[in-house]
Amino acid sequence: MEFVELIKTPKLDGVLLHDHLHATVEGTLCITGHHLLLSARQESSQELWLMHKNIDGVEKKPFVVQNVLMGGIITLKSASLEALSSLHNPELEYPFFYRPMYTILEDGYTMFRPELEFAKLVGSSSSVGTCNVPVNSVAAANGYDGSLGCEWRIAHINKDFKLCPTYGAALIVPKCITDEQIVQSATFRDGGRFPVLCYRHENGAALLRSAQPISTQSMKRCRADEAILNVVLGRSKKGFIVDTWGKGKSNTETDQHYSQWKKVNRSIGNISSPAAILDCFAKMIEACNDTACTSDKWLSRLDGSQWLSLVLNSLNAACVVAQCLDQEGSPVLVHGAMGLDSTLIVTSLVQIILNPDCRTVRGIQALVEREWIQAGHPFASRHQYSCYTLPQNRPKNCGATFLLFLDCIHQLYKQFPCSFEFNIQLLILLFEHSYFSQYGTFLCDSERERHELRVHTRTTSLWSYLNRPDVLKNLLNPLYEPNPNVIWPSVAPISLELWQELYLRWTVDQINSERNLAQILHLVTTEKELRSKALKLRKQASDLRCEILKLLKSGN
């Protein structure tokens, strides 16, 4: 199929672009294979370069005078133009055609390899070597002698993606657990997503994630799965299994076979599918775009969307898990349904709360790569449509889970503005590129699909672009001061803020926010310059003092 077959009218003159925040632009509208272009063909005039993937809804209103079509209005709602926006062949997506005009300084596809991330996770001395932990009766019954409880290894049993199609090829598992046990555990978990290590706290407590157990009469327990969790217990007398899906909606481990693991339910909302999260997002955006309603009605609609409730519940669940790891020193397994949505939100937020490295530019990139892309979050399916597509036209597997995660980071940023190396703009870029991008980082639903399409060799990585010095300088937080401590956010409803830089950027002029940011940057730059001058003056004063002392001594 050629793109020309889908483009009936490639060019149209006399088109007016109305933007209530900027002046109206008249120009020529062109449609290419991947972009919608509108240009006045004049220097310094506003141009529109819009990827088709960025268009989520199209409204057409013809203008008819005496039964003669005189034109009309096309309203584009961004958040897939008709056929061009919903191409079913991923190889026709723009990232496979895009060629960067700059020199790639770093290959983003190799920056966060599992082997490198594994070294960071278990690199400290407390995680390596023989632990000689006490052996509990359940672990002994499953053949574990306690000699290697704290060690981990990279398992390549999923290198062909047959064991678990949504996991990556390399996974971190307990060293004393055999590949055969992993296979047995995979058959016990939904989608084959057996427990894997995603973070190890500085006190040694491990954070694992998985899918829920499969509910079948033929498999009520799995000794290999029990062995994995009991090995992870190590010296701890208890662990926690946190279910993020909700009571009565998911299956959980039985108390009889997981006696040392306490079950905790922390549902992020009354949701039954990823589409429910997208519905909340759509209602919230609908309220944000309605500039004519009264304040009371707007607040009522915002509250009725339940979006901020999802944000609050996500942060609350992450704080509970973080407390178990940091204050209890206990391992935690997080799961919910298949472990592709709410599970990843919680495990990712936990790491941002506990690990200061995840609050840096490279750290947040590594976290997204490790906990979302390599962990199998189905970006292609979840982001096929967004909030402007009518609910009846959206597949049930569409969602806004990743955006919910980014909004939670935004809340943390607002509460701890000096603890993040990056600014809000980086979060907005991650949101935009996860939906529409010239880069291949968020393509497909899994590592298996990206491997089959050779995405890593045929496209450019978003990380290669973001880490360019000329780009990176605009993504840094001028107030950043490295904070090695845990950041405990307030989860009171009054502490939450609507993400106006993202949700209101097309309805409320952000010029004041931009001016404030520029002023902050100027003050921080001035302070650094003054500090530098003060240090030089102190040095000069010290040198003069030494010379005076020498002269006084020589005079005597």
Side-chain angles (χ1 to χ4, degrees):
M1 180 185 66
E2 299 291 338
F3 288 122
V4 68
E5 299 175 15
L6 302 175
I7 303 174
K8 308 302 181 183
T9 307
K11 186 177 73 170
L12 187 64
D13 294 320
V15 176
L16 296 176
L17 171 64
H18 296 283
D19 182 350
H20 78 280
L21 296 179
H22 302 89
T24 299
V25 176
E26 180 178 357
T28 300
L29 181 69
C30 300
I31 300 179
T32 70
H34 297 102
H35 289 84
L36 184 71
L37 314 177
L38 188 141
S39 174
R41 299 181 180 180
Q42 297 177 1
E43 290 189 13
S44 72
S45 66
Q46 183 185 2
E47 287 189 342
L48 174 70
W49 286 69
L50 196 64
M51 287 184 63
H52 302 319
K53 288 289 290 183
N54 190 23
I55 301 171
D56 195 49
V58 180
E59 294 180 0
K60 293 166 280 188
K61 297 180 180 179
F63 182 50
V64 179
V65 178
Q66 296 180 350
N67 296 325
V68 178
L69 181 62
M70 304 297 292
I73 297 176
I74 297 178
T75 302
L76 305 178
K77 295 184 176 181
S78 302
S80 311
L81 275 246
E82 305 289 342
L84 287 171
S85 65
S86 55
L87 298 171
H88 297 290
N89 182 358
E91 292 182 280
L92 296 178
E93 301 281 3
Y94 186 46
F96 287 99
F97 297 83
Y98 171 74
R99 296 296 178 266
M101 301 300 291
Y102 54 84
T103 302
I104 296 179
L105 303 177
E106 290 182 286
D107 183 2
Y109 288 127
T110 62
M111 287 173 56
F112 308 113
R113 296 195 306 270
E115 293 79 10
L116 298 175
E117 295 304 300
F118 170 75
K120 295 178 184 178
L121 283 175
V122 297
S124 63
S125 58
S126 62
S127 66
V128 182
T130 301
C131 292
N132 296 319
V133 298
V135 183
N136 59 65
S137 58
V138 177
N142 286 291
Y144 169 57
D145 62 6
S147 61
L148 296 173
C150 294
E151 291 189 353
W152 303 88
R153 68 182 176 94
I154 297 182
H156 298 279
I157 191 172
N158 197 46
K159 62 183 179 180
D160 55 3
F161 306 104
K162 291 183 179 179
L163 181 63
C164 177
T166 60
Y167 271 168
L171 302 162
I172 304 177
V173 298
K175 202 169 193 177
C176 59
I177 295 297
T178 66
D179 285 354
E180 182 181 355
Q181 288 175 303
I182 293 175
V183 172
Q184 294 173 14
S185 176
T187 60
F188 179 69
R189 298 279 175 175
D190 197 349
R193 294 176 68 89
F194 56 90
V196 296
L197 178 72
C198 55
Y199 171 66
R200 181 190 166 279
H201 197 33
E202 58 184 9
N203 61 9
L207 174 64
L208 296 90
R209 51 175 159 78
S210 71
Q212 66 180 0
I214 296 176
S215 177
T216 60
Q217 292 295 326
S218 60
M219 183 175 289
K220 294 185 177 181
R221 68 176 298 188
C222 177
R223 295 183 183 276
D225 191 84
E226 296 163 21
I228 294 176
L229 295 194
N230 287 318
V231 163
V232 173
L233 278 172
R235 297 181 182 276
S236 179
K237 295 181 180 180
K238 65 177 179 179
F240 294 88
I241 297 176
V242 178
D243 179 21
T244 63
W245 196 237
K247 291 183 178 180
K249 295 180 180 178
S250 62
N251 306 312
T252 190
E253 297 75 3
T254 60
D255 294 336
Q256 177 184 359
H257 301 133
Y258 297 85
S259 58
Q260 290 185 273
W261 291 81
K262 182 179 179 180
K263 316 303 186 304
V264 179
N265 181 271
R266 280 297 181 271
S267 171
I268 68 170
N270 186 22
I271 56 175
S272 57
S273 69
I277 297 179
L278 181 53
D279 289 341
C280 294
F281 175 50
K283 292 177 182 177
M284 187 266 293
I285 290 297
E286 184 180 4
C288 290
N289 289 341
D290 188 354
T291 58
C293 68
T294 63
S295 298
D296 290 342
K297 184 178 180 181
W298 185 83
L299 291 173
S300 176
R301 292 175 64 183
L302 180 63
D303 181 63
S305 73
Q306 293 295 301
W307 177 258
L308 290 179
S309 295
L310 293 177
V311 173
L312 181 66
N313 293 337
S314 299
L315 288 171
N316 187 36
C319 286
V320 169
V321 175
Q323 288 172 351
C324 294
L325 293 166
D326 182 67
Q327 299 177 9
E328 299 283 342
S330 300
V332 181
L333 170 67
V334 180
H335 68 59
M338 289 191 65
L340 294 170
D341 293 280
S342 56
T343 300
L344 303 183
I345 291 178
V346 173
T347 57
S348 301
L349 290 176
V350 166
Q351 296 178 60
I352 293 176
I353 292 171
L354 297 180
N355 186 2
D357 181 64
C358 291
R359 304 192 286 267
T360 65
V361 172
R362 295 249 174 169
I364 190 64
Q365 293 175 8
L367 181 66
V368 171
E369 182 74 32
R370 182 176 66 246
E371 285 299 290
W372 292 85
I373 298 172
Q374 296 176 9
H377 181 68
F379 280 100
S381 296
R382 296 291 186 266
H383 292 186
Q384 183 180 3
Y385 298 99
S386 190
C387 58
Y388 290 112
T389 301
L390 296 175
Q392 60 268 27
N393 296 335
R394 294 196 299 251
K396 291 185 178 180
N397 59 358
C398 284
T401 314
F402 186 63
L403 173 60
L404 180 56
F405 162 64
L406 295 177
D407 199 333
C408 291
I409 302 178
H410 156 261
Q411 304 296 336
L412 294 171
Y413 181 93
K414 291 295 184 179
Q415 294 189 32
F416 301 92
C418 300
S419 296
F420 289 83
E421 185 187 28
F422 53 86
N423 58 27
I424 292 295
Q425 184 59 33
L426 176 59
L427 301 180
I428 294 176
L429 284 176
L430 291 177
F431 161 72
E432 292 178 340
H433 283 279
S434 68
Y435 275 92
F436 48 92
S437 180
Q438 63 268 49
Y439 303 103
T441 300
F442 293 102
L443 280 178
C444 305
D445 278 343
S446 64
E447 280 294 286
R448 176 180 63 84
E449 292 183 9
R450 285 184 282 272
H451 175 75
E452 292 173 351
L453 293 175
R454 296 181 289 117
V455 168
H456 291 182
T457 58
R458 298 173 61 192
T459 69
T460 305
S461 169
L462 174 63
W463 314 134
S464 299
Y465 167 73
L466 293 181
N467 291 314
R468 291 176 53 81
D470 57 326
V471 177
L472 186 60
K473 66 181 182 181
N474 298 318
L475 305 177
L476 297 177
N477 176 13
L479 299 178
Y480 175 63
E481 292 288 343
N483 178 11
N485 301 316
V486 175
I487 56 173
W488 294 109
S490 168
V491 291
I494 198 172
S495 301
L496 299 186
E497 294 186 21
L498 183 68
W499 191 354
Q500 62 173 342
E501 295 94 337
L502 179 60
Y503 304 143
L504 300 178
R505 57 177 171 166
W506 308 126
T507 55
V508 177
D509 199 332
Q510 301 296 311
I511 187 64
N512 290 331
S513 298
E514 295 171 0
R515 287 174 179 171
N516 291 338
L517 181 60
Q519 187 175 5
I520 291 173
L521 184 59
H522 173 71
L523 291 173
V524 170
T525 303
T526 302
E527 183 198 26
K528 289 181 179 180
E529 293 175 351
L530 291 174
R531 282 186 179 183
S532 179
K533 289 180 180 179
L535 288 174
K536 291 180 180 179
L537 290 173
R538 290 195 188 100
K539 176 94 170 39
Q540 292 176 3
S542 177
D543 293 343
L544 288 172
R545 183 171 178 273
C546 291
E547 291 183 10
I548 292 173
L549 291 175
K550 288 181 181 179
L551 290 173
L552 290 175
K553 287 182 180 180
S554 62
N556 292 334

